[in-house]
Every structure is written in structure tokens, then in C-alpha cells.
Amino acid sequence: MNGTKSILLAGIGTAGSTIAREIRDAFDGNLRTIMCDTDAATAQMCEPFVLLGGNRLAGRGAGGDIVAGRMAAEESISAIDSHLDGVRIAVIVTTLGGGTGGGATLETVKHLARKGIPSIVFATVPFTFEGDDRQRHARSVMRMIEDAANASFFIPLNDLAAETDNMKEAFDIARARLETGITFFWRLLEKPGYLRLDAERLRNILSRAGHGRFAAVETSGENRAREALDRLLSSPAVSGGTGTVRAILCGILAGDDLRLSEVGIVAGGLRKAFSEPMRFDLATVNDEESFGGRIAAVAMLFESTPEESSGNKPKSVLSGSGQKNDRFVKSEATIWHGENMDEPTYLRKGISLGF
Ligand SMILES: Nc1nc2c(ncn2[C@@H]2O[C@H](COP(=O)(O)OP(=O)(O)OP(=O)(O)O)[C@@H](O)[C@H]2O)c(=O)[nH]1
Ligand SMILES: [Mg+2]
């Protein structure tokens, strides 16, 4: 199966489904997608569609009730199974705050896990002005999603208030940000690159990543690499955060003019910015049509909480050597003949990439 077809984009809830459809449209329809909602009206704009809780809610939506959303998913989430053939990773997009996004997402993640499919969740967190109840529900759901999903990214809508005072613009920015983070995976798999990732490697990286943050920048001009690095390092996603960064996935997307030294500046600079030992994966995408003359740099950071960083480290699965695996939040080190297989080959073998 084509690498990009082994990733499924699932939109949950009304806004989540709409965002998933918009992302697919913006990506020339070339994303394998499924939309799930308790509101039958969503089916008119989103295809393929799975109605959740048809018996219980009669296609009228969960009305902001996350318990109703959860029960609806319990009732009918297995209807997505016919869309899972060959799927190796699921990327879920949703908005917390509604009953379906808030209630059905966790059930969807758990269902996929039972099928052996890791989930990466991208979710917006409601504006404060939407009310204390929505905020509280969203926060409690976030924690459960963080625990259940293999990787999760949350975008607080409040943060966008610093960028615009206009409601529509704020939602547009949120959508654009989700689109950047989500389509990054497809771009990594679909386009050729000098340092490539395939679906299995991506699954390996993300299936144990934990809570994440991401930043994406685009630059052009003579100093584009230096500028990309500076902007990445000063973005709240990279400079903020309370936990220890355990793993970074760095992507550099550019046209035919990408220079080795530029890869060194961005990837090397990002890596050096963190003193903690961590896993670092780099992928480059060569896409002259989309990025000719420019560089797009994406940094996904996965971190542990302060408690996890000071807590016990898991033991090795294979060797039982007790070797620490500092690089992942939820995993044990995979030791084989004394080597930590979770380290990229070029690091284990000491191969220089020129930075
Ligand atoms: N990013 C984004 N978020 C939205 C948009 N519209 C609403 N939201 C957010 O999404 C939350 C509600 O999501 P909905 O999709 O309406 O709710 P739902 O998941 O369908 O749940 P129910 O309608 O209760 O079944 C709100 O609290 C908002 O924070 C949008 O256009 N874009
Ligand atoms: Mg709805």
C-alpha cells in the first residue's frame, strides 16, 4: 500500500469533521479521510461519514454533553472498522468544547488502540469566554486523551487572541495551524526527500511520543536557514513548555536549491538548543513546486512532565539490562546486542550529517 494511504485522517464532531474535510480539500483531496459526528447534518458536507449514536441521539448531535458523546461513540465507533483496511497510523482532528469532540475522541483513540493502530490527536481547546464548564470539561478530557493517545497536540484558542481580535480570523488561524501540523506527516511520506521517513518509521517515532508541541515557519532569501532557526527557537511551542524535551522530529521542506549547510544550520541549531539527551529525527522533503526558493521548517517536540522526568526510568524489554531510555515518555529502551535501537542509525554508528 502507498505510504500516504496507510495514514488515516479522522475528524470527530461537527467542527472536527469540517476541519478534516477542509484540510483534505486544501491538500488536493489526496488524504485518506473519515468524518464521525453525532449530527446527521454533517454527512451532507463530509464524505465518507460515520454517524455516531444514531439510536441514542437520532442524528441530532450531543448538545454539548460529553457523556452523550462518549456513549454515542461506544454505540457505533466500530462502524469505522470498514475504513481501516491497511491503516498503520491515525491522525485525529477535533475541537474540545462540544459534546462529540469532547466525548467521542477518547473512545475513538481507545478503539483504534484495540485494533493496534496508534493515534495522534490534534485538538483545539475552547476560548475562556466560552464558559467555565467547557473549559473544565476540555481540561479533563485533555488529560485522558494525553494518556490514551500515542501523541497529542493541543491548540488553546485563547493563544490566538494575541494574534487577532476577529473571531473568524482566530478560527482561520487555528485551522491553518492544524493543517500545517497534520499535513506535515503526509508531506514527509508523499514527497521525495534526501533524508526520508517512511510510514513504519513515522509510526515508530510517534507511537511512543506523548504530549507534543509544534512550530512551523517559512522563510526565503539569502539567510533563510538562519532566520528559520531563529524563528523556530523563539516560537512559544519551542521556547515554552514545562517538561523535559525527550524527542524532536524536525522536518525541512524546500525546493531543489536546498543546501547541505542550511540543513546543518536548522537541524543542528535546533538540536543544540537542548542540553538534555533526547531522540532527534530529521527528515527533508524535496518539493520544488510548493517550496521552490523557500524553506519551510517544522519542529515537533515531545516532552515528559516534570514528574516523569524525575521518576523511575523503565527497564529494557529485550536485554533486561536496565539501560535507561531517556528519549521517550512512554517507552522502554529496545536494546539489541548492546545497542539502543531507538537511536537513529546515523547516531548509533557515529555517521556525520555535516552539522
Ligand atoms: N477550530 C475551530 N473551532 C471551532 C469552530 N467552531 C467551533 N469551534 C470550537 O469547537 C467547540 C464546539 O465544537 P462543535 O463541533 O460545535 O461540537 P461537537 O463536537 O459537534 O459536539 P456537539 O455539537 O455537542 O455534538 C467550541 O467550543 C469551539 O471552541 C471552528 O470553526 N473552528
Ligand atoms: Mg455538533
Side-chain angles (χ1 to χ4, degrees), residues 97-129:
T100 308
T105 302
L106 185 60
E107 292 309 311
T108 308
V109 168
K110 288 181 181 168
H111 182 76
L112 289 165
R114 286 192 290 272
K115 299 262 155 205
I117 300 172
S119 296
I120 298 122
V121 176
F122 286 80
T124 59
V125 182
F127 288 109
T128 313
F129 62 68

Side-chain angles (χ1 to χ4, degrees), residues 12-19 22 36-39 42 57 60-66 69 94-103 105 124-127 130 134 157 160 167-168 170-175 178:
I12 311 284
T14 310
S17 294
T18 311
I19 292 168
E22 287 175 356
C36 310
D37 195 10
T38 53
D39 189 338
T42 306
L57 302 171
R60 287 192 288 264
D65 180 346
I66 58 172
T94 193
T95 61
L96 303 180
T100 308
T105 302
T124 59
V125 182
F127 288 109
E130 292 188 52
R134 281 195 184 212
L157 291 172
L160 307 179
M167 187 87 159
K168 181 183 175 306
F171 282 135
D172 285 350
I173 296 172
R175 204 216 62 183
L178 289 166

Side-chain angles (χ1 to χ4, degrees), residues 15-344:
S17 294
T18 311
I19 292 168
R21 193 209 60 213
E22 287 175 356
I23 290 175
R24 182 184 61 190
D25 292 350
F27 209 69
D28 295 335
N30 203 14
L31 262 63
R32 188 173 174 182
T33 318
I34 177 90
M35 290 80 158
C36 310
D37 195 10
T38 53
D39 189 338
T42 306
Q44 290 159 16
M45 357 170 247
C46 296
E47 220 277 308
F49 179 77
V50 165
L51 180 67
L52 301 176
N55 292 333
R56 199 176 282 277
L57 302 171
R60 287 192 288 264
D65 180 346
I66 58 172
V67 176
R70 179 171 58 76
M71 290 166 92
E74 278 171 2
E75 178 188 308
S76 31
I77 196 61
S78 56
I80 66 169
D81 291 357
S82 58
H83 299 268
L84 298 181
D85 193 25
V87 171
R88 301 287 291 152
I89 312 171
V91 176
I92 294 176
V93 60
T94 193
T95 61
L96 303 180
T100 308
T105 302
L106 185 60
E107 292 309 311
T108 308
V109 168
K110 288 181 181 168
H111 182 76
L112 289 165
R114 286 192 290 272
K115 299 262 155 205
I117 300 172
S119 296
I120 298 122
V121 176
F122 286 80
T124 59
V125 182
F127 288 109
T128 313
F129 62 68
E130 292 188 52
D132 289 347
D133 273 1
R134 281 195 184 212
Q135 280 290 322
R136 208 177 42 253
H137 287 149
R139 302 257 160 229
S140 65
V141 169
M142 271 168 74
R143 276 194 291 276
M144 290 188 272
I145 291 175
E146 258 177 39
D147 281 348
N150 301 81
S152 51
F153 298 92
F154 297 101
I155 299 181
L157 291 172
N158 270 348
D159 289 0
L160 307 179
E163 295 176 43
T164 177
D165 191 33
N166 179 286
M167 187 87 159
K168 181 183 175 306
E169 270 176 28
F171 282 135
D172 285 350
I173 296 172
R175 204 216 62 183
R177 208 148 287 174
L178 289 166
E179 183 183 326
T180 306
I182 288 171
T183 55
F184 174 53
F185 299 123
W186 274 264
R187 287 189 206 284
L188 286 183
L189 297 186
E190 188 181 61
K191 303 286 180 187
Y194 302 110
L195 300 165
R196 283 218 63 179
L197 278 190
D198 59 26
E200 289 313 298
R201 186 148 173 74
L202 195 59
R203 181 179 147 109
N204 186 312
I205 295 167
L206 295 171
S207 66
R208 298 172 290 179
H211 172 59
R213 300 175 271 137
F214 73 92
V217 299
E218 267 194 42
T219 55
S220 57
E222 207 176 316
N223 290 321
R224 59 189 190 167
R226 179 68 52 196
E227 197 189 320
L229 174 67
D230 290 347
R231 283 176 47 199
L232 278 182
L233 293 181
S234 58
S235 72
V238 175
S239 59
T242 49
T244 307
V245 172
R246 294 301 185 91
I248 294 182
L249 173 57
C250 171
I252 299 173
L253 304 89
D256 296 340
D257 58 350
L258 178 65
R259 296 195 296 272
L260 265 175
S261 56
E262 293 180 315
V263 176
I265 289 170
V266 177
L270 190 59
R271 186 181 193 144
K272 279 188 200 133
F274 295 89
S275 54
E276 301 293 331
M278 63 176 173
R279 173 178 179 143
F280 189 91
D281 284 280
L282 169 66
T284 62
V285 171
N286 175 233
D287 185 351
E288 176 65 25
E289 203 183 316
S290 309
F291 298 104
R294 292 177 298 132
I295 280 186
V298 181
M300 289 190 165
L301 279 66
F302 300 97
E303 63 178 29
S304 62
T305 61
E307 300 84 66
E308 282 168 333
S309 358
S310 57
N312 285 336
K313 300 293 191 300
K315 291 201 174 113
S316 155
V317 202
L318 292 181
S319 69
S321 67
Q323 177 163 343
K324 287 196 275 184
N325 186 18
D326 288 322
R327 291 159 179 81
F328 303 101
V329 180
K330 295 180 180 173
S331 70
E332 298 179 338
T334 309
I335 309 300
W336 186 248
H337 293 297
E339 289 192 353
N340 184 346
M341 303 310 281
D342 295 334
E343 293 256 8

